[in-house]
Amino acid sequence: MIKISAAGIALALAALSPSATATAQTYPPVPQPLVIDKSVVRPGELVTVQGGGATPNATVTITFDGADPVDVASITAASDGTFRASFNIPLVATPGRHDISATSEGRSLGTVTVTVVVRQARRPFTGGGQSLLPYLIIGALVLTGVAGAFVVRRRGPRAG
């Protein structure tokens, strides 16, 4: 009688079976990251976002979150599923962190976070740095006119 061990049987079966490795796939697919040209933006500023993973030639919608999310761009993906869009940050964007996301055919293609900062307030105009010459000339002309009026009144009418 031949003694066959369990380990020997396992080795024989492993050698006879085709070798294929199975890998787990994530579902739904993980969105590719979006890339944006600026991470700190101001309301009204032009920015460009790009990414991939869209169905070739599908419509891609770019959305800016906020109190009310706003679709800021709608473009067609290239034949390889990549896309690129330029848009202005909404003027009503509040200061702080905001997400910009891309979607196509009901799928998220990616999200990027930007920080919105407010425009610096302009200093009130105080007239500093301007030449006083025009004001001095106007003042001199006004004084000349007033002085001339007094001289004519003091002389009175000429005797003829």
Side-chain angles (χ1 to χ4, degrees), residues 37-60:
D37 61 343
K38 300 170 190 163
S39 61
V40 178
V41 296
R42 289 180 170 74
E45 188 170 1
L46 182 68
V47 296
T48 301
V49 66
Q50 60 187 6
T55 302
N57 304 315
T59 300
V60 177

Side-chain angles (χ1 to χ4, degrees), residues 155-160:
R155 284 190 181 173
R158 292 188 176 194

